[in-house]
Amino acid sequence: MKAAILSAPQPVSERPLQIVEVADPRPRSGHVLLRIRACGVCRTDLHIVEGELPPKQVRIIPGHQIVGDVVDGELLGARVGVSWLGGTDGTCTYCKRGMENLCDSPTFTGYTVAGGYAEYAFARSDFVFPLPQALDDLHAAPLLCAGIIGFRSLRVAGVEKGERVGLFGFGASAHLAIKVLQAWDCEVYVSTRGKSHRELAESMGATWVGSETEKPSVELDRAVTFAPSGDVVVAALSSLRKGGIVAINAIHLDRMPQFDYDKLLWGERQLRSVANMTRADARDFLALAAEIGLRPKVTVFKLDEANEALMAVKNDAVDGAAVIVP
Ligand SMILES: [Zn+2]
Ligand SMILES: [Zn+2]
């Protein structure tokens, strides 16, 4: 099969992914074989390819937002989705407490096991999600990480109906989260760099839109940050009311700057990180997405253009989400 392989992390401008023919994946028990229809491109893929996340395998196929048909194994013939959480041990203290997103021995799709920048992939049969018919391939793919983890971020931020919520950054994840927030009658305040991202936020009905350094004129109940930047986290904190919560939706931050505790955290403001996802997050979100007719804005790339897709994500040149079609 054809696949995009990473052997050595490098800046994406060096085109680190090699698109080559590799042996077809061999059947494994407890797994299903998928013929891939589409695979979303996530900022985490960029962190893997550029080495901000240390390599776990000598060679890896990235990609963890896979839509595919089961061609071998349980659920034969079903169209399913695979996300970042490729598996857990089921036995550690976190799994036993219902916090499988924090599992001590997790498997991550496209990082610790082969992912979806390919024609075929294996996935654990208990970690695939049958996809509602209402979600077509291209529009389902970005839901599988950007969507699910964006949804988890809203949960971690404790968002309640009708609240004022800030989204700091407006890429693939945020442009899905805004639709969920609107379905919950929230006012959405978007702070983001890049004119086209601000225009997209405006066209999607944000209550307020500003650049990454501008502050909304009202205090926010909740905020979610999406940029891999500690300065953005501090900007989000400074926009909160007392008792408000900032959830950081980023697997990697450039650094966490010093900030003024008395002004920014005192008053029971909280700073929380968002780590991975649970299968319950995935199921709840996919059902909600089908119900509210969530349709991401997508830009399609061929598998041969996997490096270009990552470059576009890095340069904020994609409005909405990038999707690779093999
Ligand atoms: Zn575990
Ligand atoms: Zn992701």
Side-chain angles (χ1 to χ4, degrees):
M1 68 165 182
K2 197 196 260 190
I5 305 250
L6 177 74
S7 311
Q10 286 177 67
V12 73
S13 55
E14 306 288 317
R15 307 179 58 82
L17 292 175
Q18 290 175 294
I19 292 89
V20 290
E21 285 290 326
V22 297
D24 286 350
R26 301 237 304 276
R28 258 179 282 171
S29 71
H31 288 67
V32 295
L33 178 63
L34 302 176
R35 186 191 297 126
I36 297 173
R37 288 167 167 266
C39 183
V41 177
C42 177
R43 186 166 284 276
T44 300
D45 301 339
L46 191 60
H47 294 320
I48 291 168
V49 167
E50 298 203 314
E52 275 118 357
L53 297 183
K56 301 283 188 191
Q57 300 286 348
V58 182
R59 282 152 61 87
I60 191 71
I61 301 171
H64 57 266
Q65 305 188 87
I66 306 171
V67 175
D69 293 318
V70 178
V71 291
D72 189 29
E74 271 178 70
L75 300 164
L76 187 65
R79 191 179 62 120
V80 299
V82 180
S83 188
W84 172 240
L85 191 65
T88 56
D89 56 15
T91 55
C92 75
T93 166
Y94 298 102
C95 284
K96 283 185 181 157
R97 289 184 199 182
M99 300 190 286
E100 67 181 7
N101 61 305
L102 302 179
C103 178
D104 282 332
S105 310
T107 303
F108 294 124
T109 313
Y111 184 41
T112 64
V113 295
Y117 290 11
E119 290 175 319
Y120 291 89
F122 268 104
R124 247 175 74 169
S125 44
D126 51 348
F127 279 80
V128 298
F129 309 102
L131 292 171
Q133 257 198 333
L135 307 172
D136 68 51
D137 301 337
L138 286 181
H139 296 95
L143 303 183
L144 291 163
C145 178
I148 295 168
I149 296 184
F151 177 68
R152 180 175 181 84
S153 304
L154 302 183
R155 285 183 158 171
V156 169
V159 173
E160 292 181 24
K161 283 202 166 167
E163 288 191 323
R164 285 177 182 154
V165 182
L167 301 177
F168 288 74
F170 203 73
S173 204
H175 101 291
L176 294 168
I178 190 174
K179 287 289 171 196
V180 173
L181 290 168
Q182 288 166 338
W184 292 344
D185 298 322
C186 291
E187 288 177 15
V188 186
Y189 296 77
V190 175
S191 204
T192 189
R193 72 175 184 181
K195 190 160 167 270
S196 74
H197 285 193
R198 289 196 288 277
E199 284 168 0
L200 180 61
E202 262 160 31
S203 74
M204 294 183 76
T207 309
W208 175 92
V209 180
S211 72
E212 80 264 52
T213 50
E214 280 180 281
K215 247 171 78 166
S217 54
V218 296
E219 290 187 326
L220 304 175
D221 299 301
R222 320 282 165 186
V224 180
T225 68
F226 298 92
S229 152
D231 291 328
V232 170
V233 173
V234 173
L237 257 185
S238 70
S239 307
L240 279 191
R241 66 157 164 82
K242 284 181 280 188
I245 297 173
V246 173
I248 306 171
N249 177 340
I251 196 166
H252 159 80
L253 282 191
D254 53 355
R255 74 200 203 293
M256 195 58 218
Q258 207 170 35
F259 62 87
D260 185 333
Y261 170 82
D262 301 16
K263 276 194 196 129
L264 296 188
L265 210 53
W266 166 249
E268 300 199 342
R269 293 175 178 90
Q270 294 181 52
L271 200 50
R272 298 177 176 175
S273 66
V274 181
N276 312 317
M277 47 165 284
T278 65
R279 281 172 282 179
D281 293 326
R283 288 189 204 104
D284 294 350
F285 171 69
L286 291 170
L288 177 67
E291 185 191 314
I292 67 176
L294 194 57
R295 244 180 110 79
K297 196 170 156 60
V298 297
T299 304
V300 177
F301 293 83
K302 294 192 205 108
L303 185 52
D304 292 323
E305 302 167 325
N307 288 300
E308 285 75 12
L310 286 169
M311 267 181 254
V313 169
K314 182 173 186 176
N315 298 329
D316 286 333
V318 175
D319 285 329
V323 176
I324 290 175
V325 175

